[in-house]
Amino acid sequence: MRSFTYERATDARAAVAAVSRDGAKFISGGTNLLDLMKLDIEKPSHLVDISRLPLRDIEELPDGGLYIGAQAANSEVAADARVRTRYPVLSEALVSGASGQLRNKASTGGNLLQRTRCPYFYDTAAGCNKRDPGSGCSAIGGFNRIHAILGASESCIATHPSDMAVALAVLDAEIELLDADGAVRRVAIADFHRLPGDTPHIETVLRPGEMITGVLLPAPPPGRQRYRKVRDRASYEFALVSVAAVVSTTDRGTIDEARVAFGGVAHKPWRSAEAEAALTGRPATMDTYRAAAEAAMRDAVGQGHNDFKIELARRTLCRTLAQVAGAAEPGAG
Amino acid sequence: MSDPDTGPAGRSHGETAPLSAIRLNVNDQVRRLEVDPRTSLLDALREHLRLSGTKKGCDHGQCGACTVLVNGRRVNSCLSLAVMHEDDEIVTIEGLGDPDHLHPMQRAFVENDGFQCGYCTPGQICSAVGMLAEVAAGWPSHATTDVASPQMALTDEEIRERMSGNICRCAAYPNIVAAIRGTAEGGTQ
Protein backbone atom coordinates (compact mmCIF):
# COMPACT_ATOMS: atom_id res chain seq x y z
CA MET A 1 0.00 0.00 0.00
CA ARG A 2 1.23 3.49 -0.78
CA SER A 3 2.06 5.83 2.02
CA PHE A 4 -0.54 8.37 3.16
CA THR A 5 -1.12 10.79 5.98
CA TYR A 6 -4.16 10.52 8.23
CA GLU A 7 -6.40 12.88 10.13
CA ARG A 8 -9.64 12.45 12.00
CA ALA A 9 -12.26 15.09 11.22
CA THR A 10 -13.91 16.65 14.24
CA ASP A 11 -16.96 18.04 12.49
CA ALA A 12 -18.54 18.00 9.06
CA ARG A 13 -17.30 21.47 8.05
CA ALA A 14 -13.75 20.56 9.05
CA ALA A 15 -14.03 17.34 7.06
CA VAL A 16 -14.97 19.02 3.78
CA ALA A 17 -12.25 21.62 4.35
CA ALA A 18 -9.66 18.92 5.00
CA VAL A 19 -10.50 16.92 1.89
CA SER A 20 -9.87 19.88 -0.40
CA ARG A 21 -6.14 19.19 -0.54
CA ASP A 22 -4.64 17.29 -3.45
CA GLY A 23 -4.90 13.52 -3.26
CA ALA A 24 -7.16 13.56 -0.20
CA LYS A 25 -10.06 11.16 0.25
CA PHE A 26 -12.66 10.53 2.88
CA ILE A 27 -12.60 7.20 4.70
CA SER A 28 -15.47 5.81 6.72
CA GLY A 29 -15.98 2.04 7.04
CA GLY A 30 -13.06 1.50 4.69
CA THR A 31 -14.27 -1.94 3.63
CA ASN A 32 -14.01 -1.09 -0.07
CA LEU A 33 -11.44 1.73 -0.05
CA LEU A 34 -8.79 -0.15 1.96
CA ASP A 35 -9.25 -3.23 -0.20
CA LEU A 36 -8.62 -1.11 -3.30
CA MET A 37 -5.66 0.68 -1.67
CA LYS A 38 -4.02 -2.66 -0.94
CA LEU A 39 -4.36 -3.48 -4.63
CA ASP A 40 -2.93 -0.10 -5.72
CA ILE A 41 -6.20 0.83 -7.45
CA GLU A 42 -7.04 3.66 -5.04
CA LYS A 43 -4.00 5.80 -4.22
CA PRO A 44 -4.93 8.59 -1.80
CA SER A 45 -2.03 10.53 -0.29
CA HIS A 46 -4.17 11.78 2.60
CA LEU A 47 -7.14 10.21 4.38
CA VAL A 48 -9.78 12.21 6.21
CA ASP A 49 -11.53 9.92 8.68
CA ILE A 50 -15.21 10.84 8.86
CA SER A 51 -16.37 7.69 10.66
CA ARG A 52 -16.78 9.45 14.02
CA LEU A 53 -18.72 12.45 12.77
CA PRO A 54 -22.09 12.81 14.50
CA LEU A 55 -23.93 11.60 11.39
CA ARG A 56 -24.95 8.20 12.66
CA ASP A 57 -28.52 8.75 13.80
CA ILE A 58 -31.72 7.68 12.11
CA GLU A 59 -34.42 10.28 12.69
CA GLU A 60 -38.07 10.88 11.88
CA LEU A 61 -38.83 13.55 9.26
CA PRO A 62 -41.91 15.80 9.61
CA ASP A 63 -43.43 14.42 6.38
CA GLY A 64 -43.51 10.87 7.73
CA GLY A 65 -40.20 9.98 6.18
CA LEU A 66 -36.88 9.01 7.70
CA TYR A 67 -33.43 10.61 7.72
CA ILE A 68 -30.53 8.19 7.77
CA GLY A 69 -27.18 9.67 8.77
CA ALA A 70 -24.42 8.86 6.31
CA GLN A 71 -22.30 7.25 9.03
CA ALA A 72 -25.01 4.81 10.12
CA ALA A 73 -23.65 1.30 9.55
CA ASN A 74 -25.44 -0.92 7.07
CA SER A 75 -26.29 -3.33 9.89
CA GLU A 76 -27.76 -0.54 12.03
CA VAL A 77 -30.01 0.64 9.21
CA ALA A 78 -31.13 -2.92 8.41
CA ALA A 79 -31.99 -3.54 12.08
CA ASP A 80 -33.79 -0.25 12.73
CA ALA A 81 -37.41 -1.02 13.66
CA ARG A 82 -38.74 1.91 11.59
CA VAL A 83 -36.83 0.77 8.52
CA ARG A 84 -37.97 -2.82 8.98
CA THR A 85 -41.64 -1.97 9.33
CA ARG A 86 -42.00 1.00 6.96
CA TYR A 87 -39.22 0.31 4.42
CA PRO A 88 -38.74 -3.48 4.53
CA VAL A 89 -37.35 -3.42 0.97
CA LEU A 90 -34.37 -1.46 2.31
CA SER A 91 -33.79 -3.80 5.22
CA GLU A 92 -34.05 -6.82 2.91
CA ALA A 93 -31.60 -5.30 0.44
CA LEU A 94 -29.07 -4.51 3.16
CA VAL A 95 -29.11 -7.94 4.76
CA SER A 96 -28.73 -9.56 1.35
CA GLY A 97 -25.39 -7.82 0.83
CA ALA A 98 -21.88 -8.62 2.08
CA SER A 99 -21.35 -10.39 5.43
CA GLY A 100 -22.26 -9.63 9.02
CA GLN A 101 -18.77 -8.31 9.71
CA LEU A 102 -18.75 -6.03 6.66
CA ARG A 103 -22.24 -4.68 7.35
CA ASN A 104 -21.08 -3.68 10.83
CA LYS A 105 -18.35 -1.48 9.31
CA ALA A 106 -19.76 -0.31 5.97
CA SER A 107 -21.49 3.07 6.16
CA THR A 108 -24.58 4.27 4.36
CA GLY A 109 -22.63 6.92 2.46
CA GLY A 110 -19.82 4.54 1.62
CA ASN A 111 -22.24 1.94 0.32
CA LEU A 112 -23.43 4.45 -2.30
CA LEU A 113 -19.85 5.21 -3.34
CA GLN A 114 -18.50 1.66 -3.51
CA ARG A 115 -16.73 0.76 -6.73
CA THR A 116 -17.62 -1.92 -9.24
CA ARG A 117 -16.47 -5.52 -8.77
CA CYS A 118 -15.61 -5.92 -12.46
CA PRO A 119 -12.55 -8.24 -12.37
CA TYR A 120 -10.75 -6.15 -14.99
CA PHE A 121 -11.12 -3.07 -12.78
CA TYR A 122 -9.33 -5.09 -10.09
CA ASP A 123 -6.66 -6.42 -12.47
CA THR A 124 -4.06 -3.66 -12.82
CA ALA A 125 -2.49 -5.52 -15.74
CA ALA A 126 -5.71 -5.25 -17.77
CA GLY A 127 -7.08 -2.27 -19.67
CA CYS A 128 -9.88 -0.51 -17.82
CA ASN A 129 -11.26 2.91 -18.68
CA LYS A 130 -12.70 3.25 -15.20
CA ARG A 131 -9.40 2.63 -13.42
CA ASP A 132 -7.14 4.13 -16.09
CA PRO A 133 -9.09 6.35 -18.52
CA GLY A 134 -8.14 5.71 -22.13
CA SER A 135 -6.71 2.25 -21.53
CA GLY A 136 -9.69 0.43 -23.05
CA CYS A 137 -12.24 -2.02 -21.70
CA SER A 138 -11.02 -5.57 -21.28
CA ALA A 139 -14.49 -6.77 -20.30
CA ILE A 140 -15.85 -6.07 -23.79
CA GLY A 141 -14.97 -9.25 -25.62
CA GLY A 142 -13.54 -10.66 -22.41
CA PHE A 143 -15.05 -12.71 -19.62
CA ASN A 144 -18.17 -10.66 -19.02
CA ARG A 145 -20.64 -12.94 -17.30
CA ILE A 146 -21.38 -10.47 -14.48
CA HIS A 147 -21.53 -7.34 -16.62
CA ALA A 148 -24.18 -4.83 -17.64
CA ILE A 149 -27.08 -5.46 -19.99
CA LEU A 150 -28.58 -1.95 -19.82
CA GLY A 151 -27.08 1.50 -20.21
CA ALA A 152 -23.56 0.29 -21.00
CA SER A 153 -21.20 2.08 -23.38
CA GLU A 154 -18.28 1.25 -25.64
CA SER A 155 -16.02 2.46 -22.84
CA CYS A 156 -17.38 0.43 -19.93
CA ILE A 157 -19.83 -2.39 -19.22
CA ALA A 158 -19.33 -2.53 -15.45
CA THR A 159 -22.23 -2.77 -13.00
CA HIS A 160 -22.85 -0.97 -9.75
CA PRO A 161 -22.63 -3.55 -6.96
CA SER A 162 -24.87 -2.03 -4.26
CA ASP A 163 -28.04 -3.75 -3.12
CA MET A 164 -28.97 -0.86 -0.82
CA ALA A 165 -28.98 1.64 -3.68
CA VAL A 166 -31.52 -0.46 -5.62
CA ALA A 167 -33.92 -0.30 -2.69
CA LEU A 168 -33.31 3.44 -2.34
CA ALA A 169 -34.22 3.80 -6.04
CA VAL A 170 -37.78 2.50 -5.52
CA LEU A 171 -38.14 4.54 -2.35
CA ASP A 172 -37.33 7.81 -4.21
CA ALA A 173 -34.58 8.56 -1.70
CA GLU A 174 -32.61 11.78 -1.79
CA ILE A 175 -28.91 12.06 -1.05
CA GLU A 176 -27.88 15.01 1.12
CA LEU A 177 -24.51 16.57 0.30
CA LEU A 178 -22.33 19.16 2.01
CA ASP A 179 -19.71 21.13 0.08
CA ALA A 180 -16.55 22.93 1.18
CA ASP A 181 -18.41 26.24 1.41
CA GLY A 182 -20.90 24.74 3.82
CA ALA A 183 -23.70 24.63 1.26
CA VAL A 184 -26.13 21.72 1.46
CA ARG A 185 -27.87 20.25 -1.58
CA ARG A 186 -30.00 17.21 -2.22
CA VAL A 187 -29.81 14.90 -5.21
CA ALA A 188 -32.46 12.35 -6.13
CA ILE A 189 -31.09 8.80 -6.05
CA ALA A 190 -32.08 8.45 -9.73
CA ASP A 191 -29.70 11.29 -10.60
CA PHE A 192 -26.89 10.45 -8.18
CA HIS A 193 -25.12 7.69 -10.11
CA ARG A 194 -24.10 8.24 -13.72
CA LEU A 195 -24.12 5.97 -16.72
CA PRO A 196 -20.60 5.23 -18.01
CA GLY A 197 -20.72 7.06 -21.35
CA ASP A 198 -17.14 7.91 -22.28
CA THR A 199 -16.20 8.90 -18.71
CA PRO A 200 -16.75 5.70 -16.67
CA HIS A 201 -14.24 6.89 -14.07
CA ILE A 202 -16.79 9.55 -13.02
CA GLU A 203 -19.42 7.49 -11.26
CA THR A 204 -21.62 10.00 -9.44
CA VAL A 205 -22.61 13.67 -9.61
CA LEU A 206 -20.68 14.29 -6.39
CA ARG A 207 -18.52 17.38 -6.91
CA PRO A 208 -14.91 17.45 -5.73
CA GLY A 209 -14.85 17.98 -1.99
CA GLU A 210 -18.53 17.19 -1.42
CA MET A 211 -19.43 14.79 1.35
CA ILE A 212 -22.55 12.68 1.76
CA THR A 213 -24.14 13.64 5.08
CA GLY A 214 -27.36 11.66 4.92
CA VAL A 215 -30.09 9.91 2.99
CA LEU A 216 -33.69 11.10 3.10
CA LEU A 217 -36.51 8.65 2.66
CA PRO A 218 -39.91 10.14 1.82
CA ALA A 219 -42.95 8.69 3.58
CA PRO A 220 -43.31 5.03 2.57
CA PRO A 221 -45.10 4.46 -0.74
CA PRO A 222 -48.39 2.51 -0.64
CA GLY A 223 -48.30 -1.20 -1.26
CA ARG A 224 -46.12 -4.14 -0.44
CA GLN A 225 -42.34 -4.07 -0.78
CA ARG A 226 -39.84 -6.76 -1.69
CA TYR A 227 -36.15 -7.12 -2.57
CA ARG A 228 -35.15 -10.27 -4.38
CA LYS A 229 -31.57 -11.14 -5.22
CA VAL A 230 -30.27 -13.85 -7.55
CA ARG A 231 -26.61 -14.82 -7.25
CA ASP A 232 -24.12 -17.62 -7.73
CA ARG A 233 -23.92 -18.42 -4.00
CA ALA A 234 -26.70 -18.47 -1.43
CA SER A 235 -24.98 -15.83 0.69
CA TYR A 236 -22.13 -13.32 0.68
CA GLU A 237 -22.13 -12.72 -3.07
CA PHE A 238 -23.00 -9.88 -5.39
CA ALA A 239 -26.16 -9.98 -7.45
CA LEU A 240 -26.28 -11.37 -10.94
CA VAL A 241 -29.70 -9.74 -11.02
CA SER A 242 -31.82 -8.25 -8.29
CA VAL A 243 -35.24 -6.61 -8.19
CA ALA A 244 -36.71 -4.11 -5.77
CA ALA A 245 -40.46 -3.73 -6.12
CA VAL A 246 -43.22 -1.76 -4.41
CA VAL A 247 -46.70 -2.52 -5.68
CA SER A 248 -50.15 -1.53 -4.47
CA THR A 249 -53.29 -3.17 -5.76
CA THR A 250 -56.97 -2.36 -5.47
CA ASP A 251 -59.54 -4.67 -3.90
CA ARG A 252 -60.39 -5.82 -7.39
CA GLY A 253 -56.84 -6.92 -8.15
CA THR A 254 -55.79 -3.99 -10.29
CA ILE A 255 -52.35 -2.48 -9.86
CA ASP A 256 -52.70 1.19 -9.05
CA GLU A 257 -49.09 2.01 -8.31
CA ALA A 258 -45.90 0.12 -9.08
CA ARG A 259 -42.26 0.92 -8.60
CA VAL A 260 -39.58 -1.37 -9.99
CA ALA A 261 -35.77 -1.20 -9.99
CA PHE A 262 -33.11 -3.70 -11.03
CA GLY A 263 -29.66 -4.29 -9.55
CA GLY A 264 -26.70 -6.02 -11.17
CA VAL A 265 -27.74 -4.98 -14.67
CA ALA A 266 -26.26 -1.50 -15.16
CA HIS A 267 -23.73 1.10 -14.06
CA LYS A 268 -26.35 2.42 -11.64
CA PRO A 269 -29.50 1.17 -9.91
CA TRP A 270 -31.88 0.71 -12.82
CA ARG A 271 -35.34 2.10 -12.15
CA SER A 272 -37.62 0.90 -14.92
CA ALA A 273 -40.26 3.44 -15.97
CA GLU A 274 -41.11 1.04 -18.81
CA ALA A 275 -42.03 -1.76 -16.43
CA GLU A 276 -43.96 0.59 -14.16
CA ALA A 277 -46.03 1.92 -17.09
CA ALA A 278 -46.78 -1.64 -18.18
CA LEU A 279 -48.04 -2.51 -14.69
CA THR A 280 -50.06 0.55 -13.72
CA GLY A 281 -53.80 0.11 -14.20
CA ARG A 282 -53.41 -3.50 -15.27
CA PRO A 283 -54.70 -6.63 -13.53
CA ALA A 284 -52.25 -8.29 -11.16
CA THR A 285 -51.70 -11.37 -13.27
CA MET A 286 -48.68 -13.24 -14.60
CA ASP A 287 -49.51 -12.01 -18.12
CA THR A 288 -49.19 -8.43 -16.89
CA TYR A 289 -45.91 -9.18 -15.14
CA ARG A 290 -44.48 -10.83 -18.22
CA ALA A 291 -45.46 -7.82 -20.33
CA ALA A 292 -43.74 -5.55 -17.81
CA ALA A 293 -40.65 -7.73 -17.90
CA GLU A 294 -40.54 -7.55 -21.70
CA ALA A 295 -40.90 -3.77 -21.52
CA ALA A 296 -38.13 -3.48 -18.92
CA MET A 297 -35.68 -5.45 -21.03
CA ARG A 298 -36.65 -4.03 -24.44
CA ASP A 299 -33.31 -2.21 -24.80
CA ALA A 300 -31.20 -4.86 -23.06
CA VAL A 301 -28.02 -5.94 -24.85
CA GLY A 302 -25.93 -8.93 -23.86
CA GLN A 303 -22.16 -9.08 -24.14
CA GLY A 304 -21.93 -12.82 -24.79
CA HIS A 305 -21.32 -14.46 -21.45
CA ASN A 306 -24.01 -12.40 -19.74
CA ASP A 307 -26.78 -12.92 -22.30
CA PHE A 308 -28.54 -15.13 -19.76
CA LYS A 309 -29.05 -12.14 -17.50
CA ILE A 310 -31.72 -10.69 -19.80
CA GLU A 311 -34.11 -13.57 -19.31
CA LEU A 312 -33.01 -13.95 -15.69
CA ALA A 313 -33.98 -10.33 -15.07
CA ARG A 314 -37.39 -10.88 -16.69
CA ARG A 315 -38.10 -13.97 -14.62
CA THR A 316 -36.83 -12.39 -11.40
CA LEU A 317 -39.16 -9.46 -11.94
CA CYS A 318 -42.15 -11.76 -12.58
CA ARG A 319 -41.43 -13.83 -9.49
CA THR A 320 -40.96 -10.74 -7.31
CA LEU A 321 -44.19 -9.16 -8.57
CA ALA A 322 -46.07 -12.39 -7.92
CA GLN A 323 -44.81 -12.22 -4.34
CA VAL A 324 -45.81 -8.64 -3.70
CA ALA A 325 -49.00 -8.42 -5.75
CA GLY A 326 -50.35 -11.94 -5.89
CA ALA A 327 -51.45 -13.96 -8.92
CA ALA A 328 -48.86 -16.47 -7.87
CA GLU A 329 -47.67 -18.90 -10.46
CA PRO A 330 -47.32 -22.56 -9.48
CA GLY A 331 -44.33 -22.95 -7.22
CA ALA A 332 -43.91 -19.25 -6.65
CA GLY A 333 -42.30 -18.49 -3.40
CA MET B 1 1.53 12.70 18.11
CA SER B 2 4.07 11.58 15.54
CA ASP B 3 7.74 11.03 15.21
CA PRO B 4 8.91 12.04 11.73
CA ASP B 5 12.42 10.79 12.46
CA THR B 6 11.33 7.23 12.80
CA GLY B 7 10.46 5.74 9.45
CA PRO B 8 8.28 2.67 9.18
CA ALA B 9 9.59 -0.51 7.72
CA GLY B 10 9.12 0.45 4.08
CA ARG B 11 7.05 -2.26 2.55
CA SER B 12 6.23 -0.69 -0.77
CA HIS B 13 7.20 2.20 -2.96
CA GLY B 14 9.97 3.19 -0.55
CA GLU B 15 7.85 5.96 0.93
CA THR B 16 7.52 6.81 4.55
CA ALA B 17 4.86 8.54 6.59
CA PRO B 18 5.13 9.91 10.10
CA LEU B 19 4.21 7.34 12.71
CA SER B 20 0.96 7.86 14.55
CA ALA B 21 0.75 7.33 18.28
CA ILE B 22 -2.47 5.52 19.15
CA ARG B 23 -4.13 4.15 22.23
CA LEU B 24 -6.21 1.00 21.97
CA ASN B 25 -8.11 -0.88 24.62
CA VAL B 26 -7.33 -4.50 23.80
CA ASN B 27 -8.75 -7.28 25.95
CA ASP B 28 -9.36 -4.85 28.82
CA GLN B 29 -5.82 -3.48 28.72
CA VAL B 30 -4.84 -0.02 27.51
CA ARG B 31 -2.14 -0.41 24.89
CA ARG B 32 -0.15 2.45 23.39
CA LEU B 33 1.73 2.01 20.16
CA GLU B 34 3.20 3.94 17.26
CA VAL B 35 2.17 2.76 13.84
CA ASP B 36 2.52 3.73 10.23
CA PRO B 37 -0.97 4.95 9.22
CA ARG B 38 -1.11 2.05 6.74
CA THR B 39 -1.09 -0.51 9.55
CA SER B 40 -4.28 -2.54 9.63
CA LEU B 41 -5.88 -3.33 12.96
CA LEU B 42 -5.00 -6.95 12.19
CA ASP B 43 -1.30 -6.20 11.77
CA ALA B 44 -1.30 -3.97 14.84
CA LEU B 45 -2.68 -6.86 16.90
CA ARG B 46 -0.40 -9.52 15.47
CA GLU B 47 2.86 -7.72 14.75
CA HIS B 48 2.86 -4.89 17.30
CA LEU B 49 0.99 -6.41 20.24
CA ARG B 50 2.02 -10.01 19.54
CA LEU B 51 -1.55 -11.23 19.77
CA SER B 52 -1.20 -13.83 17.05
CA GLY B 53 -4.47 -15.61 17.79
CA THR B 54 -6.19 -13.41 15.24
CA LYS B 55 -5.34 -14.85 11.83
CA LYS B 56 -4.54 -13.31 8.47
CA GLY B 57 -6.24 -15.29 5.73
CA CYS B 58 -7.09 -13.37 2.58
CA ASP B 59 -6.37 -9.86 3.96
CA HIS B 60 -9.28 -8.61 1.80
CA GLY B 61 -12.34 -9.15 3.98
CA GLN B 62 -13.42 -12.28 2.18
CA CYS B 63 -12.54 -15.10 4.59
CA GLY B 64 -13.32 -13.82 8.10
CA ALA B 65 -10.21 -15.33 9.74
CA CYS B 66 -9.29 -11.88 11.10
CA THR B 67 -12.65 -11.26 12.82
CA VAL B 68 -12.44 -9.45 16.17
CA LEU B 69 -14.97 -7.61 18.30
CA VAL B 70 -14.77 -3.80 18.26
CA ASN B 71 -17.01 -2.14 20.82
CA GLY B 72 -18.91 -5.41 20.95
CA ARG B 73 -19.43 -5.76 17.21
CA ARG B 74 -17.70 -8.23 14.94
CA VAL B 75 -15.62 -6.72 12.15
CA ASN B 76 -12.87 -7.73 9.72
CA SER B 77 -9.68 -6.38 11.31
CA CYS B 78 -7.85 -6.62 7.97
CA LEU B 79 -10.11 -3.97 6.41
CA SER B 80 -9.60 -1.55 9.24
CA LEU B 81 -6.83 0.94 9.97
CA ALA B 82 -5.39 0.78 13.48
CA VAL B 83 -5.31 4.60 13.61
CA MET B 84 -9.10 4.65 13.22
CA HIS B 85 -9.58 2.72 16.46
CA GLU B 86 -8.30 5.21 19.02
CA ASP B 87 -9.82 4.27 22.40
CA ASP B 88 -12.01 1.57 20.89
CA GLU B 89 -12.58 -1.57 22.94
CA ILE B 90 -11.19 -4.52 21.05
CA VAL B 91 -11.64 -8.14 22.04
CA THR B 92 -9.60 -10.84 20.34
CA ILE B 93 -9.70 -14.58 20.80
CA GLU B 94 -7.10 -14.17 23.59
CA GLY B 95 -9.53 -11.88 25.41
CA LEU B 96 -12.49 -14.24 25.17
CA GLY B 97 -10.84 -16.95 27.19
CA ASP B 98 -7.68 -18.98 27.76
CA PRO B 99 -7.05 -22.72 28.04
CA ASP B 100 -7.83 -22.68 31.75
CA HIS B 101 -10.88 -20.47 31.44
CA LEU B 102 -12.52 -21.17 28.12
CA HIS B 103 -15.30 -18.96 26.88
CA PRO B 104 -18.49 -21.02 26.42
CA MET B 105 -18.15 -20.65 22.64
CA GLN B 106 -14.57 -21.93 22.75
CA ARG B 107 -15.66 -24.88 24.87
CA ALA B 108 -18.50 -25.62 22.48
CA PHE B 109 -16.12 -25.66 19.51
CA VAL B 110 -13.90 -28.16 21.35
CA GLU B 111 -16.84 -30.33 22.45
CA ASN B 112 -18.41 -30.32 18.99
CA ASP B 113 -15.13 -30.78 17.11
CA GLY B 114 -15.88 -27.53 15.27
CA PHE B 115 -12.57 -27.37 13.43
CA GLN B 116 -9.96 -29.38 11.64
CA CYS B 117 -6.81 -27.35 10.89
CA GLY B 118 -7.96 -24.61 13.25
CA TYR B 119 -6.76 -21.63 11.21
CA CYS B 120 -10.21 -20.08 10.77
CA THR B 121 -11.29 -20.97 14.31
CA PRO B 122 -10.42 -17.76 16.20
CA GLY B 123 -12.32 -15.77 13.58
CA GLN B 124 -15.22 -18.24 13.67
CA ILE B 125 -15.47 -17.98 17.44
CA CYS B 126 -15.24 -14.19 17.61
CA SER B 127 -17.75 -13.93 14.79
CA ALA B 128 -20.12 -16.39 16.48
CA VAL B 129 -20.00 -14.44 19.75
CA GLY B 130 -20.74 -11.20 17.90
CA MET B 131 -23.44 -12.90 15.87
CA LEU B 132 -25.32 -14.20 18.92
CA ALA B 133 -25.28 -10.67 20.34
CA GLU B 134 -26.88 -9.48 17.08
CA VAL B 135 -29.52 -12.19 17.41
CA ALA B 136 -30.15 -11.18 21.02
CA ALA B 137 -30.63 -7.61 19.83
CA GLY B 138 -33.25 -8.86 17.36
CA TRP B 139 -31.34 -8.03 14.17
CA PRO B 140 -32.80 -9.61 11.03
CA SER B 141 -30.80 -11.56 8.44
CA HIS B 142 -31.29 -12.63 4.84
CA ALA B 143 -32.67 -15.91 6.20
CA THR B 144 -35.35 -14.09 8.22
CA THR B 145 -38.72 -14.66 6.59
CA ASP B 146 -40.22 -11.37 7.70
CA VAL B 147 -37.71 -8.62 8.46
CA ALA B 148 -40.51 -6.54 10.00
CA SER B 149 -41.07 -9.10 12.73
CA PRO B 150 -39.12 -8.50 15.94
CA GLN B 151 -39.03 -12.26 16.57
CA MET B 152 -36.98 -14.81 14.71
CA ALA B 153 -36.08 -18.41 15.42
CA LEU B 154 -32.38 -19.22 15.36
CA THR B 155 -32.65 -22.05 12.86
CA ASP B 156 -29.63 -23.73 11.32
CA GLU B 157 -30.41 -21.74 8.18
CA GLU B 158 -30.18 -18.52 10.20
CA ILE B 159 -26.85 -19.59 11.73
CA ARG B 160 -25.40 -20.48 8.33
CA GLU B 161 -26.54 -17.22 6.74
CA ARG B 162 -25.29 -15.09 9.61
CA MET B 163 -21.92 -16.88 9.61
CA SER B 164 -21.37 -16.67 5.83
CA GLY B 165 -18.55 -14.18 6.31
CA ASN B 166 -16.41 -16.91 7.89
CA ILE B 167 -15.01 -19.48 5.55
CA CYS B 168 -13.66 -22.87 6.67
CA ARG B 169 -11.69 -24.56 3.90
CA CYS B 170 -11.63 -27.79 5.89
CA ALA B 171 -15.44 -27.56 5.70
CA ALA B 172 -16.09 -28.19 9.38
CA TYR B 173 -19.36 -26.34 8.90
CA PRO B 174 -21.79 -28.92 10.37
CA ASN B 175 -19.87 -29.01 13.64
CA ILE B 176 -19.41 -25.24 13.69
CA VAL B 177 -23.18 -24.84 13.40
CA ALA B 178 -23.64 -27.42 16.16
CA ALA B 179 -21.21 -25.58 18.44
CA ILE B 180 -22.95 -22.26 17.90
CA ARG B 181 -26.36 -23.83 18.37
CA GLY B 182 -25.21 -25.49 21.57
CA THR B 183 -23.86 -22.22 22.94
CA ALA B 184 -27.02 -20.32 21.98
CA GLU B 185 -29.24 -22.92 23.60
CA GLY B 186 -27.01 -23.04 26.65
CA GLY B 187 -27.97 -19.46 27.28
CA THR B 188 -24.40 -18.61 28.20
CA GLN B 189 -24.23 -15.56 25.97
Side-chain angles (χ1 to χ4, degrees), chain A residues 144-153 156-159 240-242 262-267 270 296-314:
Chain A
N144 50 40
R145 184 169 177 274
I146 68 166
H147 290 78
I149 52 175
L150 288 162
S153 73
C156 181
I157 59 171
T159 58
L240 288 167
V241 165
S242 69
F262 293 91
V265 299
H267 201 253
W270 192 266
M297 293 296 135
R298 193 160 292 136
D299 296 328
V301 178
Q303 299 288 334
H305 295 121
N306 69 349
D307 293 351
F308 75 100
K309 275 192 176 187
I310 300 172
E311 179 59 15
L312 184 63
R314 293 189 191 109

Side-chain angles (χ1 to χ4, degrees), chain A residues 46-68:
Chain A
H46 184 65
L47 285 182
V48 179
D49 179 359
I50 56 174
S51 65
R52 298 193 183 194
L53 294 181
L55 297 169
R56 208 174 182 112
D57 290 343
I58 302 173
E59 297 163 0
E60 295 284 351
L61 290 172
D63 66 352
L66 217 50
Y67 178 88
I68 300 171

Side-chain angles (χ1 to χ4, degrees), chain A residues 1 35 76 84 101 235-236, chain B residues 12 60-61 73 78 147 164 166:
Chain A
M1 189 186 295
D35 187 25
E76 294 165 351
R84 289 161 69 175
Q101 290 98 313
S235 183
Y236 199 9
Chain B
S12 59
H60 287 281
R73 291 196 182 163
C78 74
V147 295
S164 70
N166 291 86

Side-chain angles (χ1 to χ4, degrees), chain A residues 12 26-30 50-59 66-77 94 103-113 164 168 174-178 192 206 210-216:
Chain A
F26 293 123
I27 185 166
S28 178
I50 56 174
S51 65
R52 298 193 183 194
L53 294 181
L55 297 169
R56 208 174 182 112
D57 290 343
I58 302 173
E59 297 163 0
L66 217 50
Y67 178 88
I68 300 171
Q71 296 307 319
N74 288 177
S75 56
E76 294 165 351
V77 178
L94 282 164
R103 290 193 294 271
N104 279 343
K105 285 208 87 214
S107 68
T108 301
N111 187 312
L112 287 167
L113 297 180
M164 180 192 81
L168 294 183
E174 290 185 301
I175 316 303
E176 183 187 68
L177 307 171
L178 175 71
F192 185 73
L206 210 58
E210 271 185 319
M211 180 174 75
I212 300 175
T213 48
V215 171
L216 293 96

Side-chain angles (χ1 to χ4, degrees), chain A residues 1-4 6 8 28 31 35 38 49 52 75-76 79 84 95 101-102 104-105 231 235-236, chain B residues 12 15 17 38 59-61 67 73-74 76 78-80 83-84 86 134 138 142 147 149 161 164 166:
Chain A
M1 189 186 295
R2 290 177 195 240
S3 186
F4 58 85
Y6 167 86
R8 187 179 304 129
S28 178
T31 54
D35 187 25
K38 290 180 184 195
D49 179 359
R52 298 193 183 194
S75 56
E76 294 165 351
R84 289 161 69 175
V95 296
Q101 290 98 313
L102 291 170
N104 279 343
K105 285 208 87 214
R231 46 186 159 173
S235 183
Y236 199 9
Chain B
S12 59
E15 306 155 15
R38 288 173 286 189
D59 210 25
H60 287 281
T67 303
R73 291 196 182 163
R74 54 178 175 156
N76 303 99
C78 74
L79 287 185
S80 204
V83 288
M84 294 178 73
E86 180 84 11
E134 293 166 8
H142 180 62
V147 295
S149 168
E161 163 60 29
S164 70
N166 291 86

